[in-house]
Amino acid sequence: MNETLDITITQADQSRLTGTDFSQLPFGKVFSDHMFIAEYKDGEWSNLQVLPYGPIPMSPAISALHYGQAIFEGLKAYRQANGKINVFRADKNHERFNKSAHRMAMPAIPREIFMQGIAALLDIDEKWIPSQDGYSLYIRPVMYATDPYLGVRASETYTFALLTTPTGPYYSQPLKVKIETEYTRADDGGVGFAKTAGNYARSLYPFAEAQKEGYDQLIWTDAATHEYIEEAGTANLIFVINGKLVTPSVRSTVLDGVTRDTILTLAKKAGIEVEERRVSVKEIIEGINDGSVTDAFAAGTAATVTPIGEIGYQGSLYKLSDPASRTISSGIAKTLNDIRYGLSEDELGWNWTI
Ligand SMILES: *Cc1c(COP(=O)(O)O)cnc(C)c1O
C-alpha cells in the first residue's frame, strides 16, 4: 500500500446508526451507512468512491445476471480490547478474490484498491463496528459483470463493491447435518474453489430439501462417487479422529477457507497433529460408531467454529459427543478469538490493525 489512491467520498446525509438495534442483528440484513465502489472499463479500475449505501443503477441486460460472472468474499473487522480496529487476514481474502476472478475470466482487483477501499469504508463507518463480545463487522467484497450485452462472452466492464454489515455471534447450537449423496456442489475442473455466485445458487434447492427433513446444513460429497467428504458449502469441515485434526484436502471442488487454514496452523503450533487428505464417508460413520471420531465442526468466517451434533446419512442419524466435552476445537476457537480481539499475541501477523 505504497501509493495512496484517490477515493471520492460522499457522506450520507443522516446516519442510520441510531435506528439500529445491535442486540437484534440477523446476519447480512443491516448494512452500514456507506459502501465503496470502483468501476472497471477500458482495462483499468477507476471512479473509486465511498458513498451512501444504496441501490446501484444497472441495465437488466448486464451479463452478471444472465451468465453469472459474479464473485464475492467475506472477512471481518473486530474491535479490539484497546479500541483499535483489526481486519483479520485481509491479504488472504484479497488473494482468493483474485483467484476467483481469474477462474471466472474477470479482472483482478489491485491490492491497493481492496485494502484502501476497506480502510476508507471502515474509517467513515467506524461506529458501525460493534464492541460487544463476539460481535464484528462483516465485510462483503463483490465484483460483477456489467456489460449490457446478451452475447455469451467475458464482460469488458465490471463493478467492484464493498458492503459492511454488523454481526453478532453466529448461532452456536450444534448443527444437524446431512451427508448429501444425490446432488453435488462442485466437480473436478469446475469452479468449486471459487467464491462465485453459481456455486451457492445450485446448492439452494438441495439445501431446502434437507431443511424439510429437519437438517441445518449439508455435507457435500465428491461428484464422481459420493464416497468422499468435501465441505459444507459455506464452511469447511474438520474432524477430530483419534486426537488428530483431520480435514478434506483443498482441491478444485473444495474452497480454500481462511478459517480452515487458520485453525490448522494454530493446531500445529499447539502440537496437535493435522492431516489434510481425502476423508471418506465410511471412515466418519464407522469412526462415530467405534468412538474414534470425537468431534466434527464447520469452520468459516461467518460462524468461526460451529460444532456438528448429528450427522444424517442414508436415512440413519449418527450422534456425536456433547459439544461441551470437545476440548480440542473449543480450545482452538478460543485461541483464534483471542487473537482477533487483541487479547493475545498475534505472533503470525494475521491482524491488520487500522
Ligand atoms: C466462504 C466459504 C468457506 C469458508 O471460507 P472462510 O475463508 O473460512 O470464510 C468454505 N466453503 C465455501 C464454499 C465458502 O464459500
Side-chain angles (χ1 to χ4, degrees):
M1 260 182 290
N2 326 331
E3 162 204 15
T4 304
L5 300 168
D6 208 354
I7 301 174
T8 307
I9 299 197
T10 311
Q11 280 244 290
D13 291 334
Q14 214 177 357
S15 173
R16 285 177 280 101
L17 204 51
T18 45
T20 303
D21 180 359
F22 274 62
S23 68
Q24 298 285 331
L25 289 171
F27 178 78
K29 280 196 177 162
V30 176
F31 295 95
S32 67
D33 288 325
H34 299 87
M35 61 185 180
F36 173 87
I37 63 167
E39 288 167 350
Y40 185 88
K41 66 166 195 260
D42 302 328
E44 59 183 72
W45 290 99
S46 61
N47 199 15
L48 278 50
Q49 298 185 58
V50 168
L51 70 172
Y53 169 82
I56 301 177
M58 61 166 206
S59 153
I62 67 167
S63 44
L65 292 180
H66 300 264
Y67 309 124
Q69 261 191 310
I71 58 168
F72 68 96
E73 263 305 325
L75 64 166
K76 280 176 169 176
Y78 302 86
R79 190 179 293 281
Q80 300 200 325
N82 61 6
K84 289 206 175 124
I85 306 307
N86 159 44
V87 184
F88 191 72
R89 301 197 78 179
D91 270 320
K92 280 288 251 190
N93 294 92
H94 171 248
E95 252 171 52
R96 189 172 64 193
F97 195 68
N98 282 346
K99 273 187 199 152
S100 300
H102 182 78
R103 178 63 180 85
M104 302 308 292
M106 299 166 86
I109 190 91
R111 183 177 184 277
E112 296 77 41
I113 297 181
F114 193 89
M115 304 299 265
Q116 289 182 38
I118 290 174
L121 192 54
L122 294 185
D123 184 51
I124 198 165
D125 280 342
E126 207 240 280
K127 291 200 172 71
W128 285 87
I129 307 167
S131 50
Q132 300 102 301
D133 194 29
Y135 283 65
S136 57
L137 189 70
Y138 181 84
I139 304 166
R140 169 53 63 92
V142 60
M143 191 205 297
Y144 56 94
T146 55
D147 278 5
Y149 172 60
L150 296 185
V152 180
R153 61 138 164 80
S155 181
E156 287 168 358
T157 62
Y158 296 87
T159 294
F160 170 74
L162 292 166
L163 317 176
T164 69
T165 167
T167 56
Y170 225 69
Y171 95 134
S172 56
Q173 277 306 80
L175 300 173
K176 183 177 170 183
V177 300
K178 177 189 171 185
I179 297 182
E180 177 60 61
T181 52
E182 182 183 357
Y183 302 103
T184 59
R185 189 192 87 90
D187 33 60
D188 289 321
V191 297
F193 66 93
K195 259 179 136 71
T196 186
N199 285 337
Y200 308 87
R202 69 186 277 178
S203 73
L204 299 177
Y205 175 78
F207 177 55
E209 290 296 295
Q211 271 185 317
K212 277 191 216 155
E213 299 168 38
Y215 292 101
D216 304 308
Q217 277 294 343
L218 289 176
I219 291 184
W220 296 103
T221 52
D222 72 294
T225 67
H226 292 301
E227 284 175 15
Y228 293 93
I229 288 176
E230 302 228 296
E231 59 151 295
T234 53
N236 292 104
L237 293 165
I238 303 179
F239 301 90
V240 177
I241 308 178
N242 293 321
K244 292 181 203 164
L245 237 50
V246 178
T247 186
S249 30
V250 169
R251 43 208 300 278
S252 69
T253 53
V254 176
L255 190 109
D256 186 0
V258 177
T259 315
R260 174 188 179 280
D261 179 76
T262 303
I263 288 172
L264 299 187
T265 305
L266 290 175
K268 287 178 204 160
K269 255 182 109 226
I272 300 165
E273 230 179 291
V274 169
E275 287 179 5
E276 294 181 68
R277 57 170 171 80
R278 301 217 79 180
V279 178
S280 71
V281 176
K282 188 161 172 268
E283 173 181 9
I284 296 306
I285 298 301
E286 287 181 359
I288 295 173
N289 285 337
D290 71 20
S292 56
V293 173
T294 51
D295 191 349
F297 58 95
T301 296
T304 308
V305 167
T306 310
I308 291 170
E310 289 171 290
I311 297 180
Y313 179 58
Q314 292 178 344
S316 301
L317 206 54
Y318 299 85
K319 212 168 152 48
L320 281 119
S321 65
D322 178 1
S325 71
R326 304 185 191 179
T327 48
I328 295 182
S329 60
S330 60
I332 296 172
K334 183 176 183 315
T335 308
L336 170 53
N337 272 324
D338 284 353
I339 297 171
R340 283 166 162 171
Y341 286 103
L343 299 170
S344 70
E345 192 75 32
D346 172 29
E347 287 170 23
L348 293 153
W350 284 335
N351 291 342
W352 170 36
T353 310
I354 301 182

